Amino acid sequence: MPQSPRRNQSVTQSDTVLALRGIHKSYGELDVLKGIDLTASRGDVIAMIGSSGSGKSTLLRCANLLETPQQGDIFFHGEQVKWHTKRHQRIPSDKHQVRRMRANLSMVFQQFNLWAHMTVLQNVIEAPQTVLKKDPDEARELGRQLLTKVGIGDKCDQYPSQLSGGQQQRAAIARALAMEPAAMLFDEPTSALDPELEAEVVRVIQTLAEEGRTMIIVTHDMKMAYDVATHVIFLHDGVIVEEGTPDQVFNNTRSARLKQFLQSSGTFG
Amino acid sequence: MEYCADPSTLEGLRWLACYLTTPKHQLFYLSFLTVFALLAITAPVVMIMGFGGAIARKSQIAPLRWLGTLYTSMVRGVPDIIFFLFVPIALDQLVEYARHKIKCPHITDPVYRGSEFIVCEAAKMPLSDSAAWVHNTWSFALAVIAFSLVFGAFAANTIFGALNAVPHSQLETARAFGLTEKQTFWRIHVPQMWTYALPGLSNLWMILIKATPLLFLLGIEDIVYWARELGGSKTGYFQYPHPDWRLWYFLALLVFYLLLTWLSGKIFNRLTSRYSLDHSSNPTKPLLKPIEAGR
Ligand SMILES: Nc1ncnc2c1ncn2[C@@H]1O[C@H](COP(=O)(O)OP(=O)(O)OP(=O)(O)O)[C@@H](O)[C@H]1O
Ligand SMILES: [Mg+2]
């Protein structure tokens, strides 16, 4: 096994972008997350692995408050998310805070979710313009640059339905980058793609990792996790069963659960 | 007007030309404007009512939601024609009743006497000595309200369904990028809604066009009224006597409505391809083909 590329990791407290503490989330009777702690410092690339239904997407969605955890706290750059209770349900109390966080934690979805009524470039400049109030010309300029960077500079004026899956996902990554976010959240960015299209998206993510961007990536692609991540988290049944550097997690696996999971996922069998 | 001075001496084309330009015929042609006016006023009002109804029905505020639901479901179980007959009469009586209470407070007799609805002279709407155009405008206004109410409810149903048809993930993505609820609604939800709403709205527009002869039923001198009036057989007592020509007059109306709906269909096809969310092929051509073929 080759060593995964490691970056200089001088993690001080002020470098913490996102911290989750004791996150609990249940849907009715079903406890999906049972007390999760996670810290993403600047430059961290955290790969989250685990079997289907283990709660990976739910955790990611809690991180940018698309879901509200019933217990636990979320800190963004040290700022704690404020809550209040409404009809026995805890919800965030400060809408501005929520939007500020979301604008800083750009999400890339498994199904791309490009806005279907907009061209690729319009998709990329939408949130910078409406949310960040960026100057239209500047936004377009940056948008074109980013689309070129992910290799689809020639597709600016196409509609999402005219692009291949891999191109759509790269456009979605450009859209996330255009927010100049503090961290990016990827939810299985390559799972909906054919292997050859998958490679082009992995390449883009790899470039972003090399630039030192903070990312949390939920993935079934163990090779990408190994190559790209600085830290790997194995989630099982709503708890973190094992975590560590890719080397620790993949080459010196401790828990039987993870061994079993890695075996069944094939890559490191 | 020397040309048509003595109709009894006219013949052939000249007779026809003079016949088709009589003052009554000019009223007939003007009554087409009544139809267009009805459409032009009703359509935007219907869209506003439709939007309002759909948004009310989706509202977080319970009473507003009930109101929206009540409004959109009221048209479901009742034939339109009942509404068209009911609403103008009900509105008319409501207004007259209110005016009666305000203008003639001294009259203590009930307004319903036996089977009759009787209000004081001053409360009549419009006043019985008003000019004919006031009467016509009043009944036209009542008709517009009736059309707007009924079609607004239909439109609200269509728009409500279309709003629900937009994939949730599209809206959630907007929120995930920090857009407010309002921005998400106007920038993502509504633009995508059109794709799903247009087939229904197109259908509704056709029904609206085809419902315009109901004006006749409401006692308005519309194209149907004049077609019957002018088409009926005219004895020698008239300047331009002729046998029963209603068939030809109604044929003209038929052609008029066909042209109108055909043109509308073409415009809606344009809109449909413009608001289509599937840009993977060029949808303009296949969409226009069936109509070209039907010509
Ligand atoms: N909105 C919801 N309502 C009810 N149950 C839900 C909801 N969202 C997720 N769940 C449940 O929570 C559990 C965890 O779901 P989650 O999507 O987080 O899993 P995952 O680890 O991302 O799985 P996958 O690898 O298949 O994406 C599943 O059992 C799922 O059925
Ligand atoms: Mg998932």
Side-chain angles (χ1 to χ4, degrees):
Chain A
M1 269 307 147
Q3 287 291 300
S4 70
R6 224 50 65 77
R7 276 174 302 285
N8 147 33
Q9 271 182 281
S10 59
V11 178
T12 64
Q13 200 54 39
S14 66
D15 266 344
T16 304
V17 178
L18 182 71
L20 308 179
R21 293 289 173 262
I23 298 294
H24 281 262
K25 174 74 190 175
S26 57
Y27 294 106
E29 296 283 281
L30 180 71
D31 285 328
V32 179
L33 300 175
K34 305 166 185 165
I36 304 276
D37 292 317
L38 183 151
T39 307
S41 301
R42 196 184 306 158
D44 278 358
V45 179
I46 299 176
M48 209 175 343
I49 59 173
S51 51
S52 184
S54 56
K56 307 179 298 291
S57 297
T58 306
L59 183 60
L60 215 55
R61 293 163 56 80
C62 284
N64 73 353
L65 299 164
L66 286 178
E67 299 285 353
T68 326
Q70 281 90 0
Q71 287 176 49
D73 278 303
I74 300 171
F75 299 85
F76 176 70
H77 281 310
E79 177 190 341
Q80 186 171 1
V81 172
K82 289 175 254 170
W83 309 100
H84 70 181
T85 310
K86 202 174 168 185
R87 284 195 220 108
H88 309 292
Q89 281 199 358
R90 192 173 77 153
I91 56 168
S93 59
D94 184 348
K95 282 182 181 157
H96 298 284
Q97 184 186 43
V98 171
R99 283 204 293 276
R100 198 166 58 241
M101 272 187 63
R102 288 176 176 173
N104 268 293
L105 296 170
S106 295
M107 191 121 167
V108 175
F109 298 85
Q110 181 173 356
Q111 299 297 337
F112 333 130
N113 296 4
L114 290 171
W115 293 303
H117 62 300
M118 298 179 181
T119 64
V120 169
L121 185 62
Q122 284 169 343
N123 263 277
V124 174
I125 65 176
E126 172 60 29
Q129 277 192 317
T130 23
V131 180
L132 305 179
K133 309 287 176 211
K134 213 173 198 150
D135 172 69
D137 291 327
E138 253 175 64
R140 258 193 296 277
E141 181 55 35
L142 177 67
R144 282 183 207 284
Q145 274 173 25
L146 290 171
L147 285 167
T148 309
K149 174 183 174 143
V150 298
I152 49 171
D154 55 331
K155 303 284 184 203
C156 285
D157 299 320
Q158 306 261 42
Y159 284 89
S161 56
Q162 296 169 315
L163 267 56
S164 76
Q167 289 168 337
Q168 287 189 51
Q169 192 60 299
R170 285 184 283 155
I173 292 174
R175 173 173 69 175
L177 285 169
M179 295 299 280
E180 299 175 317
M184 294 171 75
L185 312 175
F186 291 79
D187 192 358
E188 301 195 26
T190 58
S191 296
L193 302 173
D194 297 337
E196 66 264 39
L197 300 180
E198 195 176 334
E200 58 194 30
V201 173
V202 170
R203 214 156 31 238
V204 170
I205 294 174
Q206 199 138 25
T207 315
L208 299 180
E210 278 154 17
E211 289 171 1
R213 286 182 192 270
T214 314
M215 303 191 278
I216 303 177
I217 307 173
V218 171
T219 186
H220 282 301
D221 181 345
M222 297 305 142
K223 180 161 179 350
M224 177 170 78
Y226 187 85
D227 291 344
V228 170
T230 57
H231 195 83
V232 178
I233 287 176
F234 172 59
L235 208 60
H236 185 80
D237 260 347
V239 292
I240 295 178
V241 173
E242 190 161 342
E243 61 178 311
T245 64
D247 191 42
Q248 286 167 341
V249 168
F250 291 118
N251 296 336
N252 302 294
T253 314
R254 284 161 289 152
S255 67
R257 277 266 172 246
L258 179 54
K259 276 181 188 151
Q260 196 187 348
F261 172 74
L262 292 176
Q263 227 144 53
S264 64
S265 67
T267 324
F268 288 81
Chain B
M1 282 297 116
E2 284 297 301
Y3 189 72
C4 300
D6 186 4
S8 53
T9 65
L10 300 175
E11 278 193 23
L13 269 183
R14 192 161 164 195
W15 184 89
L16 193 66
C18 288
Y19 169 65
L20 289 177
T21 49
T22 59
K24 286 223 162 160
H25 273 87
Q26 285 171 18
L27 284 177
F28 174 48
Y29 306 139
L30 271 179
S31 69
F32 281 89
L33 288 185
T34 312
V35 173
F36 285 121
L38 177 74
L39 291 173
I41 299 169
T42 307
V45 177
V46 160
M47 284 311 291
I48 292 166
M49 307 270 298
F51 250 100
I55 292 173
R57 198 167 154 192
K58 281 187 87 75
S59 169
Q60 304 279 324
I61 307 156
L64 202 60
R65 193 167 57 242
W66 296 330
L67 203 72
T69 312
L70 185 76
Y71 176 53
T72 49
S73 33
M74 85 177 182
V75 291
R76 285 248 174 92
V78 181
D80 322 347
I81 196 158
I82 301 295
F83 269 105
F84 289 121
L85 292 173
F86 169 79
V87 171
I89 294 175
L91 269 180
D92 200 35
Q93 295 201 351
L94 190 73
V95 170
E96 289 194 341
Y97 178 75
R99 283 166 60 93
H100 179 74
K101 283 282 159 202
I102 295 162
K103 302 219 165 182
C104 316
H106 51 280
I107 299 179
T108 48
D109 295 340
V111 268
Y112 279 107
R113 259 166 270 166
S115 57
E116 278 192 278
F117 178 80
I118 299 167
V119 292
C120 64
E121 275 304 312
K124 283 264 165 58
M125 192 66 198
L127 297 171
S128 25
D129 57 359
S130 327
W133 71 267
V134 179
H135 281 275
N136 291 342
T137 310
W138 174 245
S139 34
F140 181 72
L142 289 178
V144 166
I145 294 173
F147 270 82
S148 301
L149 267 179
V150 175
F151 281 92
F154 282 129
N157 267 323
T158 304
I159 293 173
F160 178 74
L163 284 172
N164 288 340
V166 174
H168 183 69
S169 60
Q170 293 276 317
L171 311 178
E172 190 181 74
T173 304
R175 291 182 196 117
F177 273 82
L179 271 75
T180 63
E181 287 305 310
K182 213 170 158 184
Q183 288 167 337
T184 305
F185 183 72
W186 290 109
R187 301 190 60 83
I188 312 292
H189 206 162
V190 171
Q192 295 207 8
M193 174 275 289
W194 289 117
T195 311
Y196 307 100
L198 271 174
L201 291 178
S202 151
N203 201 17
L204 203 57
W205 172 250
M206 298 296 185
I207 296 174
L208 177 63
I209 292 178
K210 292 193 280 183
T212 50
L214 283 170
L215 284 172
F216 171 68
L217 218 58
L218 299 176
I220 292 165
E221 297 183 357
D222 74 333
I223 52 180
V224 181
Y225 168 85
W226 283 112
R228 274 170 60 107
E229 191 70 15
L230 297 169
S233 64
K234 301 283 181 295
T235 57
Y237 175 77
F238 288 85
Q239 277 198 317
Y240 297 90
H242 60 75
D244 187 351
W245 279 358
R246 279 178 306 178
L247 180 70
W248 302 110
Y249 277 88
F250 282 120
L251 190 65
L253 295 196
L254 203 137
V255 171
F256 166 71
Y257 277 111
L258 269 181
L259 274 176
L260 201 55
T261 47
W262 171 80
L263 193 72
S264 302
K266 250 186 126 72
I267 292 170
F268 268 101
N269 278 343
R270 278 274 166 79
L271 285 176
T272 304
S273 54
R274 177 150 161 14
Y275 282 98
S276 164
L277 295 179
D278 183 13
H279 304 84
S280 48
S281 61
N282 178 7
T284 324
K285 272 191 182 154
L287 268 173
L288 286 179
K289 245 185 198 144
I291 284 180
E292 310 277 22
R295 240 194 320 190

